[in-house]
């Protein structure tokens, strides 16, 4: 077959540029035009916050490619400042407008790729048009924020997702005071709440004022600053506001062209990234694809999926018989706040609850490498699985080092259709600087299987019922320094077997320790001694100062 | 059923101690006796080199557990300095001898676990009994080495596997001169040769004198030092010698008891770690299990498998209906030398060649995270797959940071039965400090599929045939500074399309670049222009100073 001669790509950042590069690799002679409304193509949008804080010192490093470099490397016809106005599907052409001079023209296509991306949400709140209310999508937005930080001292960041957390960190690096406002009752709301505790305390430790369960209702301009009025009635004074409450897909063009959109306005695509018009493809933040874990529509705004989607589309356009489908998105994500990282892959517990799907979960606390080797730092790993099959549905990790590694292994395990049994026997790299003979991931597998096999009952909240005997098995000095809430009997673990007579077999017991490991050990003893016992999952982590990690018993 | 009452465990380090701990969790009332010939149980043998070099300052940190702590935590009867002399299988008892007083007794068992481990090889070379020829298995060996380093200045390390590389590094930390002798023509011979180049140059950069393709034939004692005579005739003067040429399983006891051993003397076990006697289990360095990638017997001397094997045995003894089989070993391994790490999982190319198995391979060079974010450091990733199915068989990674992460992801992908197509769409965590929109692992998947789909031919050696046109597409200054070997035409990539007339379509072309990426791009152009072209896989890496990484084109 003759390859399509003219490929027109609307949008030149992640999905669009990847599609163009792959297309050129596959067809040296196709005419490839890539238009971009903004001033830059193929820039490193995930790097923008780090330039604001000065971690990335060279602005040019963010402009990964330019129209000239793409011409030289890929023989692409790249037009920036060029907006697509209308798609004429019957005529297979797109009307474009050049923002510099207002000129319009029609560009013909054999195949069209839509990679319009998504815009930061700017709800119609009073005062939101004040120029001090900033969002971050491109280099020009970044420049505006940098200019504002040169003049202002007080920043209010609205929304504690990726951009909100990263911008808060970077604004603190820059020396500004930062107040971070989040409508939900936790930061980084993709994760289940307890998994963001460490990140939250790390941000607070760096003097970021976190205001949870509150949102902005209006902005009031004063002479020198902006007043942010919150739902709670609180008023925050700001020299600049970063609005990072989410994005909406830029899909007006697709909608006007009559392409099928999803319920939230995303372009619906098939497994080869084709829209409802087989000659029009779409990829990136603006599309709705399939979830890879539970068959359902999803939309992921991340660079990785965008790049790979663009590539799949190019494959399908230029080598249709060899192209492999896009397998869907998993929703892997990670964020860093100072020394702490938190990440997620697959489904969270709250998302499963909302979708009314059955699941089981355990959380284990461990270290990123052997505790006998210097520099061991704690991490928490939560895994979620399907009760019947044991198939993994999701994982969340937080801690100081090796967080990305555990997320990536869990993402791979989920994509491999692995189960909690498989986690037990992942053979991961172990040398003292890198891991442990039993990695946290193996331990999570053990804990999950123990639960499945009925070896332990877990509870995640300590009851106040006086009938329940709460047994804290930590050493007494630790218990005295960091008591567990409620009425607690302290029986240090090594003395438990000798002190069974202090407990009443007719009343339920909950065992508690620092990390959730000794309490499991204690629960095993008590269960075999005839007690009805549950182990407090995850432990009283508060007593572990992560800067001076305590040694865990490894037996 | 009634659980077995008496479990006797021979060997108290990784496999034995893990079995004991799990056994106690499963049966609070079983009698569990663990005997150990050495002075210590459950010590961190992988940490021993790091104490020699002072990275681990606290010797007690290596003694993870003691008989007393195991009594307190697990109610175990632990007997150190206690050697098993004979197994009476018919009588289900073991004769043990207490080394302190020479006393012997018979200990009865319902189930017996053999976890004897493996001993460092000490071939019968002349002079090998000199006390300055040291091996490293336990804390006492370590103490002897530490004492030797206090007196000596010149160390010769024989054998460049894990222990050899780690000891060389640590002895340099300690200020000794180090000569590292390896019989094979590369260090860390588990890996395929080019993947150890970076580690080798890093050791040399730290003044370790590496002698390859040579071995020791005899040791000659002088008054003040030891002379190590090599095959080559070279003689090395040493104050101390570390012999780290491998281990042999300590399986005389099992052999004498008539248990089935493998061809190399390992105890053959089934999927629940049972030996040829169903009441006798075995685990750890001394056993032969199944390979997880290609159905064949294997023996892996690593802490992770040993620990998990011990646990599987305990499960099968105490909850046989719920126990899951040990799925076999993969052979995941990692070693660090100063700032460089190198790791492997699954099968190497040379092992596949030796086993006469078909395979394909590609190597990609990339960075551990986005290049626009400060601190990007290069890494090389080699993947190996089954040609027909695309199923992954092995991977090797080397570089500065994130090496363990890629090994672990690849290990998980291999265990998940994943293919090169699956690698393309692993959705790994990306934020600038942690990764890239397309991780090196995705790129390896792309490169492998490109090869499978006939988009590119790879070659791994530059021919000297003058008929072949070798086209170096790097910028001229780089070519001048670090020329490729042989007669080379330099056409910088951006000018290639305009200079096709400089090449002869009737002669083959090989494209060359720094990392193997631009040469692939160039090969795609030339192939579509009618040339018979191959891309030089992996590039001329020598021109990249890893301390000041160059920016890779990302298009």
């Amino acid at each position: 077959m003759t390859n399509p001669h003219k490929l027109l790509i609307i949008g030149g950042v992640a999905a669009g540029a990847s599609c163009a590069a792959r297309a050129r690799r596959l067809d040296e002679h196709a005419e490839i035009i890539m238009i971009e409304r903004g001033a830059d193509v193929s820039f490193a949008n995930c790097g923008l916050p780090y330039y604001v804080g000065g971690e990335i010192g060279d602005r040019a490093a963010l402009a990964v490619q330019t129209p000239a470099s793409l011409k030289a490397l890929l023989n692409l016809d790249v037009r920036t400042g060029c907006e697509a106005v209308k798609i004429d599907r019957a005529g297979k052409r797109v009307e474009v407008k050049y923002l510099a001079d207002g000129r319009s023209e029609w560009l013909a296509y054999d195949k069209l790729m839509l990679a319009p991306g998504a815009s930061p949400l700017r709800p119609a709140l009073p005062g939101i048009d004040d120029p001090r209310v900033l969002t971050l999508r491109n280099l020009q937005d970044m420049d505006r924020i940098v200019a504002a930080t040169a003049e202002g001292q007080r920043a209010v960041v609205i929304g504690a997702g990726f951009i909100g957390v990263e911008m808060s960190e970077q604004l603190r690096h820059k020396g500004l005071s930062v107040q971070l406002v989040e409508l939900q009752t936790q930061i980084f709301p993709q994760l289940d709440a307890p998994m963001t505790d460490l990140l939250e305390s790390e941000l607070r430790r760096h003097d970021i004022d976190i205001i949870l369960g509150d949102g902005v209702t209006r902005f009031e301009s004063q002479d020198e600053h902006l007043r942010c009025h919150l739902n709670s009635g609180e008023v925050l004074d700001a020299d600049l506001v970063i609005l990072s409450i989410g994005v909406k897909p830029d899909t007006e063009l697709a909608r006007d062209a009559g392409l099928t959109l999803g319920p939230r306005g995303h372009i619906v695509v098939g497994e080869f990234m084709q829209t409802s018009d087989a000659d029009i493809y779409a990829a990136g933040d603006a599309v709705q694809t399939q979830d890879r874990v539970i068959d359902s529509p999803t939309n992921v705004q991340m660079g990785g999926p965008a790049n790979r989607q663009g590539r799949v589309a190019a494959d399908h356009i230029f080598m249709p018989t060899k192209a492999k489908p896009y397998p869907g998105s998993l929703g892997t994500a990670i964020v860093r706040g100072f020394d702490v990282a938190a990440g997620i892959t697959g489904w969270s517990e709250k998302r499963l609850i909302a979708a009314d799907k059955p699941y089981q979960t355990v959380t284990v606390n461990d270290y990123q490498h052997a505790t006998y080797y210097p520099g061991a730092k704690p991490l928490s790993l939560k895994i979620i699985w399907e009760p019947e099959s044991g198939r993994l549905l999701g994982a969340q990790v937080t801690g100081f080092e090796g967080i990305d590694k555990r997320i990536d292994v869990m993402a791979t395990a989920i994509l491999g259709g692995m189960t909690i049994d498989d986690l037990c026997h992942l053979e991961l790299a172990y040398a003292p600087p890198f891991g442990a003979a039993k990695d946290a991931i193996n331990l999570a597998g053990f804990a999950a299987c123990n639960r499945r096999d009925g070896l332990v009952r877990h509870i995640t909240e300590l009851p106040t019922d006086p009938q329940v005997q709460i047994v804290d098995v930590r050493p007494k000095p630790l218990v005295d320094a960091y008591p567990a809430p409620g009425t607690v009997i302290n029986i240090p673990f090594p003395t438990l077997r000798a002190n069974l007579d202090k407990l009443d077999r007719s009343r339920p017991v909950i065992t508690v320790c620092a990390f959730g490991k000794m309490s499991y050990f204690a629960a095993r003893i008590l269960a075999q001694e005839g007690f009805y016992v549950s182990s407090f999952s995850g432990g009283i982590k508060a007593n572990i100062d992560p800067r001076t990690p305590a040694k865990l018993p490894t037996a």
Side-chain angles (χ1 to χ4, degrees), chain A:
Chain A
M1 73 176 268
T2 309
N3 277 336
H5 187 67
K6 284 175 188 284
L7 170 62
L8 177 60
I9 300 173
I10 299 177
V13 189
S18 278
C19 179
R22 178 67 171 172
R24 175 56 75 223
R25 229 78 79 206
L26 296 178
D27 191 335
E28 178 62 13
H29 302 113
E31 182 183 341
I32 305 173
I33 301 177
M34 185 165 80
I35 72 167
E36 165 58 45
R37 182 168 43 191
D40 302 285
V41 286
S42 196
F43 63 92
N45 40 9
C46 301
L48 303 180
Y50 299 96
Y51 180 78
V52 171
E55 271 194 70
I56 296 174
D58 177 16
R59 188 181 183 282
L62 296 169
V64 178
Q65 298 293 345
T66 64
S69 73
L70 290 175
K71 177 71 186 171
L73 294 173
L74 293 167
N75 192 24
L76 299 184
D77 178 350
V78 176
R79 308 179 188 186
T80 54
C82 177
E83 183 171 27
V85 178
K86 188 174 181 175
I87 301 173
D88 170 11
R89 287 168 54 189
K92 295 187 81 169
R93 57 181 193 155
V94 174
E95 187 182 10
V96 304
K97 183 172 152 192
Y98 298 91
L99 303 180
D101 57 11
R103 186 170 54 90
S104 290
E105 69 174 318
W106 287 91
L107 300 177
Y109 66 81
D110 294 315
K111 301 289 178 183
L112 177 63
M113 159 58 84
L114 303 180
S119 304
L121 286 171
R122 285 189 82 98
L125 300 175
I128 198 161
D129 292 330
D130 190 290
R132 289 168 291 198
V133 179
L134 299 157
T135 54
L136 180 61
R137 180 183 189 177
N138 56 34
L139 290 163
Q140 291 68 44
D141 294 337
M142 178 187 82
D143 293 337
R144 275 188 284 273
I145 293 172
V146 169
T149 61
E151 301 188 354
Q153 279 304 316
R154 292 166 299 180
V156 169
V157 178
I158 315 278
F162 288 99
I163 305 281
V165 168
E166 292 175 350
M167 284 303 303
S168 296
E169 181 206 54
Q170 294 296 315
L171 291 167
R172 282 298 297 141
H173 273 321
K174 192 106 180 183
L176 279 76
S177 73
V178 176
Q179 296 185 290
L180 175 60
V181 181
E182 168 59 46
L183 198 57
Q184 299 200 39
T185 53
Q186 65 172 103
I187 62 167
F188 202 41
Q190 288 96 325
L191 272 67
D192 294 319
M195 296 301 290
T196 56
D197 287 354
L198 184 65
L199 183 63
E200 190 181 316
S201 68
E202 179 73 357
L203 298 185
R204 291 194 201 275
R205 202 171 74 89
H206 286 84
D207 297 322
I208 291 172
D209 178 23
I210 300 177
I211 299 164
L212 296 173
D214 210 346
V216 69
T217 56
R218 64 189 174 91
F219 301 97
E220 182 190 352
S221 176
Q222 302 285 314
D223 287 347
E224 294 294 316
H225 64 275
L226 202 59
R227 308 195 75 198
C228 308
H229 293 263
L230 304 187
N231 285 321
S232 60
E234 196 171 351
V235 178
L236 311 179
D237 290 329
D239 299 314
L240 65 148
V241 171
I242 308 288
L243 200 63
S244 51
I245 56 173
V247 295
K248 67 170 169 44
D250 276 343
T251 51
E252 297 77 8
L253 187 73
R255 182 189 302 271
D256 292 346
L259 299 177
T260 303
L261 301 190
R264 290 162 52 232
H266 300 94
I267 305 170
V268 174
V269 292
E271 59 182 2
F272 292 105
M273 311 313 294
Q274 281 167 303
T275 68
S276 50
D277 180 329
D279 289 322
I280 304 181
Y281 293 74
D285 292 359
V287 305
Q288 174 183 304
T289 59
Q290 286 302 105
D291 188 270
R292 280 178 90 169
V293 183
I294 294 173
D295 190 28
S296 55
T298 192
N299 162 253
V300 168
Q301 286 112 19
M302 299 292 286
N307 273 281
R308 293 183 283 101
Q309 289 165 8
R311 197 172 184 276
V312 167
D315 283 353
H316 195 248
I317 293 169
F318 290 101
M319 51 172 209
T321 59
K322 289 182 176 171
K324 295 284 198 294
Y326 180 71
S329 297
L330 184 59
T332 306
I334 191 166
V335 72
R336 189 199 69 186
F338 304 97
D339 294 341
V340 168
I344 181 168
T345 185
W347 285 57
S348 65
E349 193 173 348
K350 63 177 137 185
R351 199 171 147 207
L352 287 159
I353 291 170
D356 199 23
K357 304 279 183 193
Y359 68 90
Q360 284 282 11
T361 177
V362 296
T363 300
V364 298
N365 299 289
D366 196 46
Y367 293 94
Q368 97 279 24
H369 65 52
T371 52
Y372 63 78
Y373 185 80
K377 295 187 178 136
L379 60 78
S380 287
L381 165 61
K382 173 178 184 167
I383 66 167
I384 304 175
W385 69 93
E386 202 171 55
E388 286 303 307
S389 63
R391 183 174 71 100
L392 296 164
L393 301 175
Q396 296 167 50
V397 193
T398 187
F400 298 84
E401 290 178 15
I403 306 310
D404 54 332
K405 176 164 85 172
R406 272 69 184 197
I407 285 292
D408 284 356
V409 170
M410 291 303 307
T412 307
I414 292 169
L415 296 181
M418 287 181 165
T419 66
I420 53 174
D421 291 294
D422 294 321
L423 288 193
C424 297
H425 286 291
L426 286 188
E427 194 178 319
L428 305 176
Y430 166 42
F434 301 111
K438 290 179 257 194
D439 191 84
I441 290 176
N442 300 129
L443 297 182
F446 296 162
C449 291
N450 284 342
R451 183 168 179 162
R452 188 258 328 264
D453 293 337
L455 292 179
V456 64
R457 266 179 226 99
H458 286 124
I459 62 146
T460 53
E461 276 184 50
L462 291 177
T464 50
D465 179 354
Q467 268 299 102
V468 177
Q469 305 169 88
I470 298 177
V471 179
D472 190 331
V473 299
R474 293 175 297 166
K476 189 162 187 309
L478 212 52
V479 174
D480 290 344
Y482 308 96
T487 306
V488 171
I489 310 155
N490 179 216
I491 308 179
F493 181 81
T495 67
L496 180 62
R497 290 184 177 91
N499 284 284
L500 297 177
D501 58 352
K502 293 199 176 145
L503 299 174
D504 179 351
R505 272 187 176 73
S506 70
R507 290 163 52 202
V509 175
I510 291 171
T511 54
V512 169
C513 72
F515 264 43
K517 198 166 177 175
M518 301 306 287
S519 65
Y520 157 62
F521 297 170
R524 285 302 303 154
I525 294 173
L526 293 173
Q528 294 185 72
E529 296 291 353
F531 289 85
Y532 183 89
V533 58
S534 307
S535 171
F536 181 58
S537 182
I540 312 282
K541 282 187 295 291
N543 56 6
I544 302 289
D545 178 0
R547 315 294 149 161
T548 55
K551 205 172 98 176
L552 278 183
T554 62

